[in-house]
Amino acid sequence: MTDTDTPFRGVYPAMTTPFAGDSIDHELLRSDAQRLERAGVDGLVPVGSTGESATLSHDEHVEVVETVVDAVDIPVIAGAGSNATHEALDLARRSADAGADGLLLISPYYNKPEPAGMEAHYRTIADGVDLPQIVYNVPSRTGRNIDVETTVSLAEHDNIVGYKAASGDFGQISEIIERTRDEAFAVLSGDDALTLPMLSIGAAGTISVSANVEPERTCELVESALSGDYGRARELQFELGPLFRALFAETNPIPVKAAMEHRGYGPDGLRLPLSELSDENREELAAVLDELEGGA
């Protein structure tokens, strides 16, 4: 696949959702989107797992999409998944009406569909909403892996143009890239630590947690790899490695919200049942952030 055929290429931060008390802070959300746009990211992904979508009402979900769309001039890929197909379809339609440029669709969680049900779920949404759509495989959260055959079949649908890989199964990811490389289909890293290895075998970019905190370095890492400068990409991988580990010391987005507070980007408030970062991990995260800032 050539770069011109790639529907999504580069760095797409998986945005956090800032809260003022129990309400969404839309002013801070807007300024954060604009901060990331200025840093050079290729697009934004609000209301995914990092955006605490599981604790937002559907109305809040759509309001976040509207705020981010209104704030920036880069593509906005809205999280819009659910474990009920009718609910995911409704969220997808409402996100499209809110101005989203694409959709990120987590696979159905808890009810653990078989491959036939998984494929029917995604095809129903792709048939019902005419936007570019990214299948999101994160079995650690959903309890079910989207297998290679299902993914390759879904890649044939005109509206299913990407796959966010967060399974940690590099063999599976490699096979999906191999078998879709002649399609207009972008495989994107959903695991910051694996972004560089994935880029080396043909991934198109990343939907990144760390890019909320280090967008410039993340963009340089990805662009270096995409342009073939793997020496520089490796340097950046090793610089960012401690951050990748610190940001997943506890359940995402607990650490990244603490990191953003440390950098002055907003409070680290979370909605229950998520809890604050432990003191030990907060100290380690602060040390990593200060080291990166000192080396900038």
Side-chain angles (χ1 to χ4, degrees), residues 73-127:
D73 293 318
I74 53 177
V76 175
I77 303 167
S82 172
N83 65 330
T85 303
H86 69 87
E87 190 171 273
L89 180 59
D90 179 64
L91 271 176
R93 285 172 170 158
R94 293 185 66 184
S95 296
D97 290 342
D101 300 287
L103 303 171
L104 176 68
L105 299 163
I106 195 167
S107 62
Y109 42 86
Y110 184 76
N111 34 16
K112 300 176 70 172
E114 298 300 327
M118 188 81 75
E119 182 164 355
H121 171 85
Y122 278 110
R123 287 188 177 275
T124 296
I125 301 165
D127 289 342

Side-chain angles (χ1 to χ4, degrees), residues 19 52 75 81-82 132 167 174 222:
F19 296 113
E52 297 176 75
S82 172
S167 67
S174 178
V222 170

Side-chain angles (χ1 to χ4, degrees), residues 64-182:
V64 168
V65 175
E66 290 173 338
T67 295
V68 176
V69 167
D70 185 62
V72 298
D73 293 318
I74 53 177
V76 175
I77 303 167
S82 172
N83 65 330
T85 303
H86 69 87
E87 190 171 273
L89 180 59
D90 179 64
L91 271 176
R93 285 172 170 158
R94 293 185 66 184
S95 296
D97 290 342
D101 300 287
L103 303 171
L104 176 68
L105 299 163
I106 195 167
S107 62
Y109 42 86
Y110 184 76
N111 34 16
K112 300 176 70 172
E114 298 300 327
M118 188 81 75
E119 182 164 355
H121 171 85
Y122 278 110
R123 287 188 177 275
T124 296
I125 301 165
D127 289 342
V129 182
D130 190 20
L131 277 182
Q133 296 171 29
I134 299 171
V135 171
Y136 179 14
N137 188 32
V138 56
S140 65
R141 285 186 181 267
T142 65
R144 180 69 87 197
N145 179 57
I146 308 174
D147 64 30
V148 173
E149 295 300 330
T150 301
T151 304
V152 171
S153 178
L154 289 171
E156 298 171 358
H157 196 292
D158 287 346
N159 283 337
I160 299 175
V161 300
Y163 173 87
K164 179 182 175 183
S167 67
D169 184 340
F170 199 76
Q172 174 180 274
I173 295 165
S174 178
E175 185 177 353
I176 289 168
I177 293 173
E178 173 193 342
R179 294 179 61 184
T180 61
R181 66 188 186 279
D182 295 324

Side-chain angles (χ1 to χ4, degrees), residues 18-25 267:
F19 296 113
D22 197 45
S23 299
I24 296 168
D25 188 333

